């Protein structure tokens, strides 16, 4: 964040546009398109925001939809809605109900998401707690503690809707999976819950497999 520049608040009500720039607090109620980069301390939006460049902030709070063509860097993300990042994402602490769609890598310390997550590259978090509310995917998942489960209410509210997670590789210290398809799962303690289909599980300490799941190969490291 560029602290050398004096920061001013930006408040937008209704439908508007901005060239972007460096701000203190940005508050959008309605719709706004930023044609360049946005660098702010806090972004709070209710409605729709589009950023043609990169978004950098300390805190992001969304109610609605935020689409960023470039990269997103922030300390925290909170709210209900959908965040799209076209050039990768790095947010330390995520607590969101809705969706995160990332082209590139998604890096975080903690992720607590109920909804949909799609990452074309690496999804890396020290603690990942994902409650599936639809089809989710990542190429690779890495972290310390990884928990991927299906939303019970989602199964009732959206019967017939596919709620599963797909990845090529999932690697962590403590792994607990439900309704997950993966080529390789590698970890210290691995619990394969219901509805999973895994080609190979490599584990160091513990492996549990639910009777409804398929694990084709197991390797104790």
């Amino acid at each position: 964040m560029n602290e050398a520049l004096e920061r001013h608040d930006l408040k937008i009500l209704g439908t508007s546009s901005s060239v972007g720039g460096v701000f203190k607090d940005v508050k959008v109620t309605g719709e706004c398109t930023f044609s360049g980069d946005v660098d702010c301390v806090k972004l709070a939006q209710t409605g729709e925001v589009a950023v043609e460049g990169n978004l950098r902030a300390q805190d992001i709070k969304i109610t609605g939809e935020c689409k960023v063509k470039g990269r997103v860097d922030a300390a925290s993300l909170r709210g209900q809605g959908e965040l799209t990042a076209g050039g990768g994402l790095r947010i330390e602490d995520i607590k969101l109900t809705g969706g995160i769609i990332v082209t590139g890598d998604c890096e975080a310390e903690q992720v607590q998401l109920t909804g949909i997550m799609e990452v074309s590259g690496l999804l890396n978090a020290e603690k990942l707690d994902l409650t599936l509310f639809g089809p989710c995917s990542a190429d690779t998942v890495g972290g310390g503690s990884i928990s991927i489960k299906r939303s019970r209410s989602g199964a009732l509210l959206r019967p017939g809707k596919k709620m599963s997670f797909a990845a090529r590789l999932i690697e962590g210290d403590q792994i607990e999976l439900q309704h997950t398809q993966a080529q390789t799962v590698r970890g210290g303690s691995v619990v394969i819950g219901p509805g999973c289909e895994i080609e190979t599980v490599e584990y160091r300490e513990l492996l549990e497999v639910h009777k409804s799941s398929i694990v084709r190969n197991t390797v104790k490291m």
Side-chain angles (χ1 to χ4, degrees), residues 16-36:
S16 186
S17 61
S18 167
V19 294
V22 177
F23 307 101
K24 186 182 176 186
D25 293 347
V26 175
K27 186 174 183 180
V28 177
T29 305
E31 298 179 23
C32 185
T33 299
F34 295 91
S35 59

Side-chain angles (χ1 to χ4, degrees), residues 185 187-188 190 201-207 218-221:
V185 174
V190 180
V201 174
E202 301 173 4
Y203 67 102
R204 290 188 299 275
E205 295 136 27
L206 170 76
L207 172 62
T218 61
V219 179
K220 191 171 192 307
M221 296 185 289

Side-chain angles (χ1 to χ4, degrees), residues 9-152:
D9 292 345
L10 175 66
K11 290 186 180 182
I12 290 174
L13 183 65
T15 302
S16 186
S17 61
S18 167
V19 294
V22 177
F23 307 101
K24 186 182 176 186
D25 293 347
V26 175
K27 186 174 183 180
V28 177
T29 305
E31 298 179 23
C32 185
T33 299
F34 295 91
S35 59
D37 295 343
V38 175
D39 182 329
C40 62
V41 177
K42 183 177 181 180
L43 169 64
Q45 68 156 100
T46 301
E48 295 182 19
V49 167
V51 180
E52 298 293 322
N54 301 309
L55 171 61
R56 179 186 289 268
Q58 276 290 325
D59 301 311
I60 301 173
K61 186 173 182 181
I62 65 171
T63 304
E65 189 175 20
C66 182
K67 289 186 175 182
V68 181
K69 274 196 175 177
R71 180 174 174 82
V72 177
D73 288 279
S76 77
L77 169 65
R78 296 285 186 273
Q80 296 181 325
E82 185 171 284
L83 174 65
T84 303
L89 179 149
R90 164 73 192 174
I91 299 177
E92 290 178 26
D93 189 12
I94 297 172
K95 191 172 184 180
L96 187 72
T97 300
I100 295 177
I101 299 169
V102 181
T103 302
D105 296 338
C106 175
E107 299 180 66
E109 290 298 317
Q110 294 191 81
V111 178
Q112 187 175 340
L113 175 69
T114 299
I116 294 172
M117 193 162 209
E118 296 177 11
V119 180
S120 69
L122 168 66
L123 169 56
N124 186 41
E126 186 57 34
K127 185 176 182 182
L128 173 65
D129 188 353
L130 178 59
T131 304
L132 305 172
F133 214 85
C136 303
S137 63
D139 177 69
T140 305
V141 180
S145 171
I146 298 169
S147 172
I148 300 173
K149 297 180 179 180
R150 177 186 279 188
S151 166
R152 290 181 181 178

Side-chain angles (χ1 to χ4, degrees), residues 132 148 164-167 170 177-182 194-198:
L132 305 172
I148 300 173
S164 62
F165 188 88
I170 299 173
L177 306 175
Q178 295 180 1
H179 302 279
T180 297
Q181 292 82 49
C196 295
E197 187 173 348
I198 313 295

